[in-house]
Amino acid sequence: MAAGESPLHQFEIAPIIPMEIGGVDVSFTNSALWMVIAVIVSTVLLTVGMRGRAMVPGRLQSIAELSYEFIANMVKDNAGSEGRPYFPFLFTLFFFILFCNLLGMIPYSFTPTSHIIVTFALAFVVFVGVTIIGIVKNGVSFLKLFAPSGVPIFLLFILVPIEIISYFVRPISLSLRLFANMMAGHTMLKVFGGFVVSLGLIAGWAPLLFIVALTGLEIGIALLQAYVFVVLSCLYLHDALHPGH
């Protein structure tokens, strides 16, 4: 890290292809570039992995098959059998977030999920989607989600407002969790990287070792946050499909 450079400088969005439509800035930025790269890398990995379909799978095929089975079981366990039609979306969501997180670990890259606008957009799509699914599948019965059966009437005056607030807070909590973890981890890496540079070879080995350990932790967090985001999406889907439970 250069002297005097803020560790938050790595999160600055820079336009690559400046564009403006109707006075609105719609420039193609470094964030958009790395989201496109994440889509391309994940698509190529899964396509190449499943191209051969060998009886004895190679590494890429094993990764593709295990990933498919992992997400399929996640959807079945958390959303139930009725959540199966939404597997393609959840599978795509998992890999998009995962590769946005992992590619951000490459030096001089950019982490789209370190921006709240990106994570909120993903969470908002999930929120609107499961709400529409719940209304279409259950009609007026969808409102049972805010008033579970078997609850005494006098408690409904307290429970219903709490349930409504918690429901509409879902996209905020879902997006903040992913954004905060990505931003905090990358900021710490940048700070300790600055210590290594400023302390030199003699005293810089300690923060360097910490960076190595923190990098491994960040890779684990990148995987975990993609998993948590999709698991919670599955649980929200389950609530939409079974509002009375």
Side-chain angles (χ1 to χ4, degrees):
M1 179 170 62
E5 182 181 305
S6 170
L8 299 180
H9 177 71
Q10 61 181 311
F11 304 115
E12 291 184 5
I13 294 181
I16 297 175
I17 305 176
M19 291 184 290
E20 188 173 308
I21 299 177
V24 179
D25 186 3
V26 292
S27 300
F28 186 78
T29 64
N30 51 351
S31 179
L33 173 64
W34 283 95
M35 283 191 276
V36 171
I37 292 174
V39 171
I40 293 174
V41 172
S42 57
T43 302
V44 170
L45 175 65
L46 293 172
T47 302
V48 173
M50 294 306 297
R51 179 179 295 175
R53 298 183 182 179
M55 291 297 295
V56 180
R59 292 181 181 179
L60 286 179
Q61 184 176 338
S62 296
I63 292 174
E65 291 178 352
L66 290 173
S67 300
Y68 181 94
E69 185 177 357
F70 176 72
I71 304 300
N73 289 334
M74 183 196 307
V75 174
K76 181 180 178 181
D77 293 341
N78 294 284
S81 58
E82 292 184 26
R84 188 176 302 172
Y86 312 101
F87 166 79
F89 170 75
L90 295 167
F91 185 82
T92 303
L93 182 65
F94 176 82
F95 271 92
F96 177 74
I97 295 174
L98 177 63
F99 278 94
C100 281
N101 293 348
L102 291 178
L103 290 173
M105 299 299 299
I106 300 174
Y108 303 105
S109 66
F110 188 87
T111 312
T113 46
S114 65
H115 278 261
I116 185 66
I117 187 62
V118 174
T119 59
F120 182 78
L122 294 173
F124 189 71
V125 168
V126 171
F127 174 76
V128 172
V130 298
T131 301
I132 293 174
I133 291 169
I135 294 173
V136 171
K137 289 283 186 181
N138 302 284
V140 179
S141 298
F142 178 68
L143 296 177
K144 291 181 180 179
L145 181 64
F146 308 109
S149 58
V151 177
I153 296 178
F154 69 91
L155 285 180
L156 290 177
F157 295 99
I158 300 174
L159 183 61
V160 170
I162 293 176
E163 289 292 333
I164 292 175
I165 293 172
S166 66
Y167 184 81
F168 284 97
V169 168
R170 283 178 175 183
I172 298 175
S173 61
L174 192 60
S175 59
L176 280 176
R177 184 181 295 104
L178 177 57
F179 148 74
N181 277 279
M182 291 298 103
M183 186 175 186
H186 283 65
T187 302
M188 289 183 65
L189 284 173
K190 194 74 170 182
V191 169
F192 280 94
F195 289 158
V196 174
V197 174
S198 60
L199 294 176
L201 292 176
I202 297 177
W205 62 269
L208 179 61
L209 290 177
F210 188 82
I211 287 177
V212 173
L214 187 59
T215 299
L217 178 63
E218 275 297 289
I219 293 174
I221 290 176
L223 294 164
L224 179 62
Q225 288 305 312
Y227 170 78
V228 169
F229 196 100
V230 177
V231 163
L232 290 175
S233 299
C234 290
L235 293 175
Y236 298 159
L237 177 61
H238 179 272
D239 288 343
L241 295 172
H242 310 281
H245 291 188

